Amino acid sequence: MTTSDLPAEGQPDVSTEGTEAPFDDVITLSTTTGEDGAVTVTVVGEVDTFTAPVLRSTLDSQLEQQPRELVIDLSGVQFLGSAGLAVLVETQKSARSREVALRLIATTRAVTRPLEVTGLIDLFTIADAR
Amino acid sequence: MVDSRGALAQDGRRVERLELRVPTTATQLPAVRAMAGDLAMRMDYDLDAVEDLRLAVDEACAILSTIVLGDAPLTVVFETTRAGLHIDAWVPAATGTEVPTDGFGWVVLAALVDTVEGHRSTQREMPGGEDSDGAVAVISLDKYLPGQHPFGTGGDSGQNLSVAR
């Protein structure tokens, strides 16, 4: 999967700062606003204990704008650990309290499996396509 | 070295062992879970179980990262048998430090594998450890291949243990 077509919009990447090893960024986030006012945050990469805080702050700042709907596109996510699950649950709570509709796009086993095993999948509106 | 292998590895069958030692950094833990997934993929695990192992190893590493002493490395020992995969992950920790089992990560970890246990030990008792009494914190886990569970429950450990609140 390529990330070159995703506008970065100044979102921080969690990368290898401080190390010399030439690793790719572990996570890339981009945000787009549709004509209908729905905001889509597209996540590409791996969501673990190191990258979850970056995702959290991006989602929080989008929710603060109180869009009509927030869509989290996880179809480019190759790993979603408990820290990432916790971010999704917190975001769901926060969206509810702000009366923002929340929808996840989950197409890969790397995302659906952890949601299923924990039973958290029932808390979310899940779409399997854009 | 004391044999600290779990029950799964002590069934008398040939054991293959793979040991990884990495710093607990943002770029190295992805390598450990990738190795877990690759190993599982080459055994007879189904795709859900491969995902479970990738997740479980990451949770174990993440939990141990919170109690590691200074910048000491994390050691992960994978033992494969015909029955499945036994994994010991350990870090040097301050004397008396318990593996924290009260977090969300532990709940997720327990839902992903057949057995999981956190305990204290010493370097000398660990595969890949030094010959010293240095305190270590260990997470040991087992995931059996389909039909290999010793108690015959055969239960897929990942059977939607709900942690939703």
Side-chain angles (χ1 to χ4, degrees):
Chain A
M1 171 160 308
T2 171
T3 60
S4 60
D5 55 337
L6 299 171
E9 286 193 10
Q11 298 293 350
D13 288 342
V14 169
S15 61
T16 57
E17 60 181 278
T19 69
E20 298 93 41
F23 290 108
D24 286 339
D25 293 339
V26 177
I27 192 172
T28 305
L29 302 170
S30 59
T31 306
T32 55
T33 306
E35 285 170 12
D36 58 358
V39 168
T40 301
V41 173
T42 303
V43 190
V44 174
E46 310 196 15
V47 187
D48 62 10
T49 63
F50 295 99
T51 61
V54 184
L55 176 60
R56 173 86 195 259
S57 71
T58 296
L59 294 174
D60 281 353
S61 60
Q62 290 306 322
L63 279 177
E64 278 166 22
Q65 313 291 320
Q66 277 188 280
R68 194 179 59 77
E69 183 183 29
L70 178 63
V71 180
I72 310 175
D73 185 347
L74 300 169
S75 44
V77 168
Q78 292 123 29
F79 184 83
L80 180 68
S82 67
L85 292 171
V87 168
L88 295 180
V89 172
E90 290 302 316
T91 302
Q92 172 75 291
K93 280 186 198 158
S94 178
R96 270 195 191 138
S97 69
R98 291 168 186 273
E99 298 186 337
V100 175
L102 180 73
R103 190 156 54 93
L104 305 186
I105 299 176
T107 56
T108 60
R109 194 182 300 268
V111 173
T112 55
R113 182 62 179 170
L115 285 169
E116 282 166 8
V117 167
T118 54
L120 293 172
I121 199 159
D122 297 334
L123 299 184
F124 296 97
T125 304
I126 310 255
D128 57 9
R130 234 168 278 237
Chain B
M1 186 184 303
V2 176
D3 188 347
S4 61
R5 291 175 298 173
L8 189 153
Q10 291 169 344
D11 62 359
R13 288 191 280 241
R14 191 164 59 99
V15 173
E16 288 194 23
R17 202 163 100 179
L18 173 75
E19 207 172 291
L20 288 182
R21 178 162 302 190
V22 297
T24 56
T25 60
T27 52
Q28 293 304 315
L29 294 191
V32 178
R33 61 185 182 241
M35 174 62 72
D38 189 73
L39 255 182
M41 192 71 85
R42 287 183 285 116
M43 298 173 71
D44 280 336
Y45 290 104
D46 63 30
L47 291 176
D48 280 341
V50 169
E51 204 53 54
D52 293 351
L53 277 160
R54 242 164 42 99
L55 288 159
V57 166
D58 187 72
E59 297 303 341
C61 294
I63 291 166
L64 292 173
S65 297
T66 65
I67 52 170
V68 63
L69 202 58
D71 57 0
L74 163 77
T75 304
V76 186
V77 183
F78 298 90
E79 290 177 333
T80 64
T81 71
R82 285 197 299 177
L85 201 44
H86 174 82
I87 300 167
D88 288 308
W90 61 272
V91 292
T95 304
T97 305
E98 299 283 354
V99 174
T101 58
D102 53 353
F104 179 52
W106 185 270
V107 176
V108 173
L109 173 53
L112 292 166
V113 295
D114 292 301
T115 66
V116 61
E117 180 201 19
H119 55 103
R120 290 181 292 177
S121 188
T122 62
Q123 289 268 356
R124 183 172 292 122
E125 292 172 70
M126 295 314 300
E130 297 166 7
D131 186 18
S132 82
D133 292 324
V136 303
V138 191
I139 295 177
S140 300
L141 55 93
D142 289 293
K143 188 155 182 90
Y144 298 98
L145 282 160
Q148 295 290 332
H149 199 289
F151 310 117
T153 61
D156 170 14
S157 64
Q159 51 192 328
N160 294 335
L161 275 178
S162 181
V163 295
R165 262 166 275 178

